[in-house]
Amino acid sequence: MAYRAHDVVTRALDVLDAHGLADLTMRRLGKELGVQPSALYHHFANKQSLLAAVADEILARGARPVEAERWQDRVVAICTMLRDSLLAYRDGAEVVATVHAFGLGATQPRDALTGALSGAGLRADDISVGTRTLLHYVYGHTIDEQTHLQADSAGALGDDAAAGVTDRDFANGLELILDGIALRVGVTQA
C-alpha cells in the first residue's frame, strides 16, 4: 500500500503517543506501516524533517481561533493553546521545542506571539525577547509537566512529587511574565 506524507505523520503521532520520542524511529515507523524504513525517505529526507512535520501537525491539531482584544489576553490564549497542544501527545513539548530550536518548523506559536506583543507598544527588540521568553516558558513548563506525568505513571514519584505541576502554576508563571512585559510597556511609553 502506498502512503502519503500525511499518513506517515499520522502514524508517527500514534507511535509518539504510544511509545514516546525515544522510540519514534524510522525503523519502528516503517514496521508500523508495513514498509521498509527506506520507503519513508520518499516523503521525508531524514528523521528531522519527519519530526518537523509531526511538530507542525501537533500544533495544527490544537489550533483554535484567538479572539481576545487586549494583547495580554491574546498572549494568554496563545500560550494556553500551545500548552494544550503539547500536552495532547506524549513528549509533544519535547518534539515541538526541539523542532523550533533547530529552526526546522513549529513557527506558528512564535508568529502568533510576535503579533500579539506587537499590539502592546513594545520596541522591536523587546517584542523579540518577549516572544522567546514566552516560548521558553511554555516549552519548559510543559516538558516538566510531561516528565512528571510519565514518572508518576511509572510509579517513580513519591506522594509529594506526584502532585506535579498544576494548571494554576502555569497561569501564575505566565502572569508574572506578562506583568514584566506590561511594566516594560509602561516604561517604553513614558
Side-chain angles (χ1 to χ4, degrees), residues 64-80:
R64 55 189 182 269
V66 175
E67 300 175 5
E69 302 257 341
R70 291 179 350 125
W71 69 266
Q72 297 95 324
D73 297 333
R74 288 180 36 219
V75 167
V76 169
I78 294 163
C79 289
T80 301

Side-chain angles (χ1 to χ4, degrees), residues 121-138:
L122 290 166
R123 295 184 332 232
D125 288 351
D126 290 338
I127 292 170
S128 179
V129 170
T131 296
R132 285 194 309 274
T133 299
L134 288 160
L135 287 174
H136 292 161
Y137 174 70
V138 176

Side-chain angles (χ1 to χ4, degrees), residues 20-106:
L21 180 57
D23 288 331
L24 177 56
T25 64
M26 297 302 252
R27 181 179 303 261
R28 171 168 248 158
L29 187 54
K31 183 178 179 182
E32 292 276 334
L33 290 166
V35 300
Q36 292 296 318
S38 58
L40 301 175
Y41 295 104
H42 173 73
H43 299 293
F44 301 99
N46 50 42
K47 184 176 177 183
Q48 291 75 20
S49 61
L50 171 66
L51 289 178
V54 167
D56 286 338
E57 184 66 18
I58 288 171
L59 295 172
R61 288 183 179 191
R64 55 189 182 269
V66 175
E67 300 175 5
E69 302 257 341
R70 291 179 350 125
W71 69 266
Q72 297 95 324
D73 297 333
R74 288 180 36 219
V75 167
V76 169
I78 294 163
C79 289
T80 301
M81 178 175 42
L82 174 57
R83 176 178 172 252
D84 292 346
S85 298
L86 302 176
L87 287 173
Y89 297 93
R90 180 177 177 179
D91 296 334
E94 187 176 353
V95 170
V96 174
T98 300
V99 166
H100 179 263
F102 289 165
L104 299 172

